[in-house]
Amino acid sequence: MEIQQDLRDCCDNEKIDFEDNDSSHVDGSESSDSDDSEKEREEHYALERRVVELRKELAKSPNAYNTHVELIGCLKKLGELDQLQHARESMHAIYPLTEELWLDWLRDEIKLSLSDEDKRKVESLFHRATEDYLSIDIWVEYIQFCLAGMDIGGAEALEKIRTVMEDAVRHGGLHVVKGGLLWDSYRDFEMAIYQSTKGKTENENLNQSQKITHLFNRQLSVPLLDMERTWKEYNDWLEILGQKVEAHVKASYEKAKAQLEKMSPLEDTLLIAVENDDKAAVYRTYLDLEMNEIKDPARIQALFERIVADIPLYDAFWMDYCKYVDRQFKTAETTFAVFRRAVRNCPWNGPIWASYIFAAERYEKEDSFISGLVQNAFVAGLASAADLLAVWLGFIEHLVRKCKWDDSEQIVQLREAFTRATEHLHQSYGIECDPECILLQYWAYLEAKKLNNMPKARELWGQIMSQGHGKSAQWWLARIQFERAHASDVTEVRKLFVKSVNAVTSLDWPELIVKQWLQFEREEGDLQTMDNAQLRCDARMEKVKKERESQIGKDLDTGKGRKRGKIEENQDSVSVPSKKAKTGHNSASTVKSDARNTTETRTNAPQPTKPITIPKPITDPCRHANTVFLSNLDFNISEEDIRSTMSTSGTITDIRLVRDYKQRSKGFCYVEFSSSDEVKEALKRDREPLKGRPMFISPSEPDSALKHPVFKYQSTLEKKKLFVKGLASTTTKEDLETLFSKFGILKDVRLATFRTGISKGIAYTDGTTFQDRVLTVALSNPPPRHDKKTTDREEQSLGGGARERKTQLSFVPNSILRQAKSSAMPPPPPPLGAQKSNADFRSMLPNKK
């Protein structure tokens, strides 16, 4: 603090001296200096104003990453050391820092570290930096700091430096490309000590030479770039000592060299890879090589560290890394260290949080720790309903495993957790929060199986059926099977069959309900119930037959229908619930069975009797109001591209780029701003080009019932708007504004484009030969659109003639289809030998004008 105050006092004195000198000189050179100083002061004031603005933005959106980075840069330019340190600490409390940010911070602190206390603070800062990501450059900086600031003559100082060197090669010595830097630094350090001990006892010389030889042996067993140079230096070293290469050392070297030959093509590909997706593909191949061929746990962990440092936002690698260390090393310290970093880098990933909860339970963490994890997950901002569901399921599974079913207080807490989970999901994502109803099925199973409360279980199944599954045969069968599995009341089962056979639509195979009902009556019923079931089923199937025949007629009349191949596809795509509610329970609680098997030898801890704190869900009603939906994006676009483009509309708090299971972009994303006013500004940029494609921007409305009519261009005559066609594909909006502005004031020009961003050659403007093309200009009056329901069966083909659409019918037997087709066919022609009338011959003559 005293140093910083001295620096400030020095700056103040310089400012005073400058002002005094400025008032006493009026020549041209001093005037120029004054102008430069005035410019610097303006820049200084501009930076100060920008700092104030950035702090206001962070007060509204504390998680705005780019705002943190910009604030640090501004404060460094201003020289505000205390504020700069506070800004860096604030950012690191939320995010891990990149290698560049850490090196910048460390070098600033090293410059100010004069006392031993300052140096100890810098050492602590180095420890924090090496915990975020693997960075060879940070380790090299750490080694140089130790060597420059410590007296290598003392034994204690030597051991301290050796400890740092060992940590460096342990963390980064397996890095194929840069690991050699750490090994070479370590050997150079030991070689310097060896040179200083030459005049001492022979025993000390021998011990030091053995340390250097051992370092060579360790380095040569690791596949590193430029291994041949190290091998030559090793032979030169042995020649000085008068020794020969041992067989096992040469064997280790040859093995490492062979491994390097397999890795070299991958390293070459990584060297030229620019896009993160390309790097991810190479790293995936690299992991397969390490796991399936080399199989060295230390090397696999080192590769994972390298991957998450290079592409830290790829949550799939973090998930794999967490699983690997948890199953391979089976130590709480290693496992939790990776999990902590995983949720800091990818806080939106629900399965990572759920696995973290599971690991905490397995390593017997206290209940408050697990509740804190769930609360932190809610605050972190989970990406989707599936992520939120994963966290709730992970926590509820923990409560179920800890629950004593004769403890009424724990049962109340468990039911409260289920209630909060369902409400939280519904408030955040509406009816689509849990399409498979995993949570409700799990709850119903526990009520029926563990608590013997069938009325509550039936109530929960009623909620399941009301969530869009009431017309599905598969869901009704699952409901019936649940009833049969957990209750012995055949009357209740029979009521369900009656409801289901009437509720299932004719297009959703009510035959399945009929078949299962009759089988049930064979097993559980008598003559009367069987006869009653047969009558109801026959009546229903007769009605289904008529409905299907009616649908056939409609399809033939309208020419609509789907291809036959789509029928089976749609059948297979129907989401099928578990056959038994027990299966639903297993699906929720046995996902991590492999990890659970690794703890069979662990002693069982006593079950706690104190109440477990259930974290309260955090919901933000403004979340969707502050979010816009972007579509028609380039599939190679990155989140940084979107952020750099949309950040001009306001402060971006979150970007959710939707990807497929292979982590490829689907071409649309959600961008969340800090306020609704910023959303309005973003919506004004609809169809603005981004990477050559117009991006479609609309409000984010997850609940379809709340959607309001969006803006549509008029489809009637507009006397103040011109329609222009015949434009060249290279014509821009600015070209049209230049052409038509001489006729009057232009309100707007809209150039119509395809989804790819290529011009359609038409435009609307608020009219000639232009760019060597003859334009057609007319008032905008689009032709009326025909109702699709009244379109004729025949439509124009590409050749200009009429073609008939092939009708495809859903769930229609071929016999019925052939009957319908034959009834619509024209009468057959007369046989070849039949007599022709005069009218027949007349029709064969050519028409005469």
Side-chain angles (χ1 to χ4, degrees):
M1 298 301 177
E2 294 178 357
I3 297 173
Q4 296 171 4
Q5 186 62 42
D6 292 342
L7 288 173
R8 294 194 188 95
D9 294 341
C10 181
C11 292
D12 293 339
N13 292 334
E14 290 179 356
K15 183 177 179 181
I16 294 171
D17 293 341
F18 171 77
E19 292 175 350
D20 293 340
N21 294 333
D22 183 59
S23 62
S24 60
H25 297 280
V26 294
D27 57 79
S29 61
E30 291 299 330
S31 177
S32 176
D33 292 341
S34 177
D35 292 340
D36 293 340
S37 299
E38 182 65 27
K39 184 178 180 181
E40 291 177 0
R41 281 196 294 269
E42 290 178 359
E43 292 176 353
H44 183 87
Y45 296 148
L47 284 172
E48 288 182 336
R49 289 192 296 269
R50 184 56 182 159
V51 166
V52 173
E53 294 173 359
L54 292 172
R55 282 175 174 160
K56 289 181 180 178
E57 292 178 11
L58 287 176
K60 296 179 181 178
S61 306
N63 296 332
Y65 184 90
N66 290 338
T67 308
H68 279 285
V69 175
E70 187 179 354
L71 177 61
I72 290 172
C74 291
L75 289 173
K76 184 171 182 179
K77 292 178 181 178
L78 288 172
E80 297 290 344
L81 302 180
D82 291 339
Q83 297 181 38
L84 176 60
Q85 185 179 18
H86 181 268
R88 284 167 167 164
E89 291 286 359
S90 299
M91 183 176 183
H92 188 251
I94 304 173
Y95 295 109
L97 303 186
T98 63
E99 179 182 83
E100 294 76 12
L101 289 173
W102 268 122
L103 287 173
D104 198 28
W105 189 357
L106 289 165
R107 287 164 182 166
D108 286 347
E109 295 294 336
I110 290 173
K111 293 176 184 177
L112 299 174
S113 60
L114 301 179
S115 65
D116 292 340
E117 181 65 25
D118 293 335
K119 291 179 179 179
R120 283 192 291 270
K121 290 181 180 179
V122 174
E123 287 183 45
S124 176
L125 204 60
F126 269 113
H127 285 300
R128 294 169 59 188
T130 55
E131 288 175 356
D132 272 355
Y133 300 116
L134 170 64
S135 171
I136 305 300
D137 291 344
I138 290 178
W139 278 110
V140 170
E141 191 79 22
Y142 191 10
I143 292 171
Q144 292 176 351
F145 169 75
C146 293
L147 293 175
M150 298 182 185
D151 181 14
I152 64 174
E156 184 179 351
L158 289 177
E159 289 305 316
K160 194 169 185 178
I161 296 176
R162 281 197 179 102
T163 302
V164 174
M165 297 283 193
E166 280 293 335
D167 288 341
V169 297
R170 181 168 57 88
H171 284 87
L174 298 180
H175 195 295
V176 176
V177 179
K178 297 182 177 181
L181 293 173
L182 302 177
W183 288 104
D184 293 345
S185 298
Y186 199 174
R187 283 194 292 106
D188 291 343
F189 167 71
E190 296 292 354
M191 193 69 74
I193 297 176
Y194 175 76
Q195 296 294 334
S196 66
T197 60
K198 279 187 176 181
K200 297 184 179 180
T201 64
E202 183 178 350
N203 215 12
E204 289 179 334
N205 286 338
L206 180 60
N207 289 336
Q208 189 61 28
S209 64
Q210 288 177 349
K211 289 180 180 179
I212 297 173
T213 303
H214 183 59
L215 272 178
F216 267 119
N217 295 345
R218 291 170 60 188
Q219 182 177 356
L220 291 171
S221 66
V222 178
L224 300 170
L225 292 184
D226 206 13
M227 292 186 67
E228 293 81 0
R229 177 187 58 81
T230 307
W231 177 255
K232 183 179 182 304
E233 291 178 358
Y234 178 56
N235 282 272
D236 295 341
W237 167 251
L238 292 180
E239 187 176 348
I240 294 173
L241 298 179
Q243 299 176 4
K244 294 183 179 180
V245 177
E246 297 182 11
H248 71 90
V249 176
K250 186 174 182 180
S252 298
Y253 168 70
E254 295 295 341
K255 181 180 178 181
K257 192 175 179 181
Q259 293 175 351
L260 181 62
E261 290 179 359
K262 296 179 180 180
M263 301 171 184
S264 294
L266 297 173
E267 294 291 349
D268 294 339
T269 308
L270 284 172
L271 189 63
I272 62 176
V274 178
E275 298 294 333
N276 286 339
D277 289 345
D278 298 334
K279 293 181 181 179
V282 180
Y283 279 131
R284 186 61 65 185
T285 306
Y286 214 149
L287 279 174
D288 292 340
L289 172 65
E290 292 282 2
M291 289 183 169
N292 300 326
E293 295 189 30
I294 301 177
K295 300 180 180 179
D296 183 350
R299 288 204 54 78
I300 295 172
Q301 185 181 13
L303 181 57
F304 268 121
E305 285 290 343
R306 181 178 172 185
I307 293 171
V308 297
D310 196 4
I311 45 176
L313 300 184
Y314 277 60
D315 47 10
F317 287 111
W318 277 110
M319 190 69 183
D320 293 344
Y321 188 17
C322 292
K323 289 180 179 178
Y324 181 77
V325 296
D326 192 21
R327 297 173 182 176
Q328 180 66 37
F329 301 105
K330 301 176 184 178
T331 60
E333 183 180 358
T334 304
T335 299
F336 289 145
V338 177
F339 268 115
R340 282 194 298 267
R341 295 163 59 208
V343 296
R344 273 172 63 84
N345 283 272
C346 305
W348 61 83
N349 187 290
I352 293 181
W353 284 103
S355 299
Y356 198 177
I357 294 169
F358 186 82
E361 179 186 351
R362 181 149 45 81
Y363 289 108
E364 302 179 3
K365 285 287 187 178
E366 58 274 11
D367 295 327
S368 59
F369 179 85
I370 295 176
S371 298
L373 287 181
V374 180
Q375 194 72 29
N376 291 337
F378 294 156
V379 176
L382 298 167
S384 65
D387 295 293
L388 184 59
L389 177 62
V391 174
W392 270 117
L393 274 176
F395 179 64
I396 288 175
E397 288 174 20
H398 162 69
L399 295 181
V400 170
R401 286 188 289 268
K402 305 281 283 185
C403 182
K404 292 181 179 180
W405 300 106
D406 57 351
D407 189 331
S408 59
E409 186 175 353
Q410 290 187 1
I411 293 172
V412 169
Q413 292 175 351
L414 181 60
R415 284 173 172 160
E416 183 183 358
F418 271 113
T419 302
R420 288 187 180 179
T422 53
E423 291 177 353
H424 189 189
L425 284 162
H426 186 74
Q427 290 173 3
S428 300
Y429 294 98
I431 197 171
E432 297 180 358
C433 58
D434 185 9
E436 300 293 329
C437 296
I438 297 173
L439 198 63
L440 289 176
Q441 286 193 76
Y442 189 17
W443 189 1
Y445 167 82
L446 295 174
E447 292 287 352
K449 184 70 175 180
K450 301 293 185 180
L451 301 174
N452 298 318
N453 190 349
M454 277 304 296
K456 180 62 177 178
R458 289 168 182 151
E459 177 189 339
L460 293 171
W461 263 101
Q463 296 180 29
I464 293 173
M465 301 307 292
S466 66
Q467 294 184 9
H469 304 306
K471 297 181 180 181
S472 169
Q474 295 286 1
W475 280 95
W476 273 110
L477 290 175
R479 168 70 184 92
I480 292 168
Q481 201 159 10
F482 177 87
E483 186 71 29
R484 296 188 68 181
H486 300 290
S488 57
D489 190 351
V490 295
T491 303
E492 188 67 29
V493 176
R494 193 170 285 117
K495 289 179 181 179
L496 291 175
F497 272 119
V498 174
K499 292 180 180 179
S500 62
V501 77
N502 293 318
V504 175
T505 64
S506 59
L507 300 180
D508 199 57
W509 293 103
E511 291 90 339
L512 296 176
I513 303 292
V514 169
K515 181 179 179 181
Q516 291 295 322
W517 189 2
L518 297 179
Q519 183 63 31
F520 168 77
E521 295 298 348
R522 294 187 189 101
E523 298 172 355
E524 305 289 345
D526 53 23
L527 179 61
Q528 183 179 356
T529 58
M530 185 67 177
D531 186 42
N532 184 47
Q534 191 70 61
L535 287 174
R536 287 179 177 272
C537 291
D538 290 345
R540 176 57 180 152
M541 292 311 300
E542 185 66 27
K543 186 176 180 180
V544 168
K545 180 181 178 182
K546 292 180 180 179
E547 290 175 354
R548 288 175 175 170
E549 289 176 350
S550 175
Q551 184 64 36
I552 292 171
K554 292 180 180 179
D555 289 343
L556 291 175
D557 290 341
T558 61
K560 294 182 178 179
R562 297 168 294 175
K563 296 182 179 179
R564 178 176 295 274
K566 290 287 185 180
I567 299 177
E568 297 178 0
E569 179 182 340
N570 290 340
Q571 282 182 256
D572 296 338
S573 65
V574 175
S575 61
V576 182
S578 55
K579 291 186 177 180
K580 296 182 180 180
K582 184 176 181 180
T583 307
H585 163 66
N586 291 338
S587 65
S589 60
T590 61
V591 175
K592 312 175 187 71
S593 58
D594 293 340
R596 192 158 50 234
N597 291 337
T598 63
T599 62
E600 292 177 354
T601 59
R602 180 171 57 85
T603 57
N604 293 326
Q607 296 289 341
T609 57
K610 61 181 181 180
I612 300 174
T613 304
I614 301 176
K616 296 182 179 180
I618 296 178
T619 57
D620 186 1
C622 299
R623 178 180 181 183
H624 298 298
N626 296 348
T627 304
V628 295
F629 178 69
L630 272 61
S631 59
N632 194 42
L633 302 175
D634 188 279
F635 291 106
N636 295 322
I637 202 168
S638 65
E639 291 187 4
E640 289 302 319
D641 296 330
I642 299 172
R643 186 181 298 277
S644 62
T645 301
M646 298 302 297
S647 59
T648 57
S649 296
T651 302
I652 296 176
T653 60
D654 190 21
I655 294 179
R656 301 186 289 276
L657 183 62
V658 182
R659 304 177 184 273
D660 61 13
Y661 69 101
K662 291 185 178 181
Q663 294 300 308
R664 299 172 301 191
S665 170
K666 288 187 175 183
F668 56 92
C669 77
Y670 297 88
V671 179
E672 186 174 346
F673 291 92
S674 60
S675 68
S676 57
D677 293 335
E678 295 172 342
V679 170
K680 295 178 181 178
E681 292 298 321
L683 292 174
K684 296 177 182 179
R685 302 171 63 181
D686 184 31
R687 300 179 185 271
E688 181 179 304
L690 176 60
K691 282 199 169 185
R693 295 171 67 96
M695 54 180 175
F696 300 160
I697 307 177
S698 60
S700 174
E701 297 178 347
D703 191 346
S704 58
L706 299 177
K707 290 185 177 179
H708 54 77
V710 298
F711 171 77
K712 293 183 179 179
Y713 292 103
Q714 293 188 25
S715 58
T716 58
L717 176 64
E718 297 178 81
K719 296 183 178 180
K720 294 184 179 181
K721 182 184 290 186
L722 295 177
F723 171 71
V724 185
K725 67 179 181 179
L727 298 172
S729 59
T730 57
T731 301
T732 65
K733 181 179 179 180
E734 291 73 16
D735 295 334
L736 291 172
E737 289 175 345
T738 303
L739 177 63
F740 287 97
S741 59
K742 58 187 178 181
F743 299 110
I745 300 175
L746 287 176
K747 181 179 179 181
D748 186 27
V749 175
R750 178 166 62 91
L751 188 64
T753 63
F754 293 101
R755 294 182 70 88
T756 59
I758 300 175
S759 172
K760 291 183 177 181
I762 60 175
Y764 295 87
T765 180
D766 271 351
T768 121
T769 300
F770 181 60
Q771 295 181 345
D772 298 329
R773 298 175 70 95
V774 179
L775 306 183
T776 301
V777 183
L779 288 176
S780 175
N781 188 17
R785 297 185 178 181
H786 298 287
D787 188 357
K788 293 182 179 180
K789 297 181 180 180
T790 61
T791 54
D792 192 74
R793 284 182 56 196
E794 295 183 350
E795 60 178 341
Q796 291 298 111
S797 67
L798 293 177
R803 62 181 175 90
E804 184 178 354
R805 293 182 179 176
K806 184 177 180 181
T807 303
Q808 179 257 348
L809 308 173
S810 303
F811 311 119
V812 181
N814 288 335
S815 59
I816 299 177
L817 183 60
R818 285 194 294 268
Q819 292 174 8
K821 187 175 181 180
S822 62
S823 63
M825 291 288 288
L832 293 175
Q835 294 182 354
K836 295 180 174 59
S837 64
N838 290 337
D840 293 331
F841 283 104
R842 190 179 301 110
S843 64
M844 298 172 62
L845 297 175
N847 293 330
K848 297 181 180 180
K849 296 182 181 179

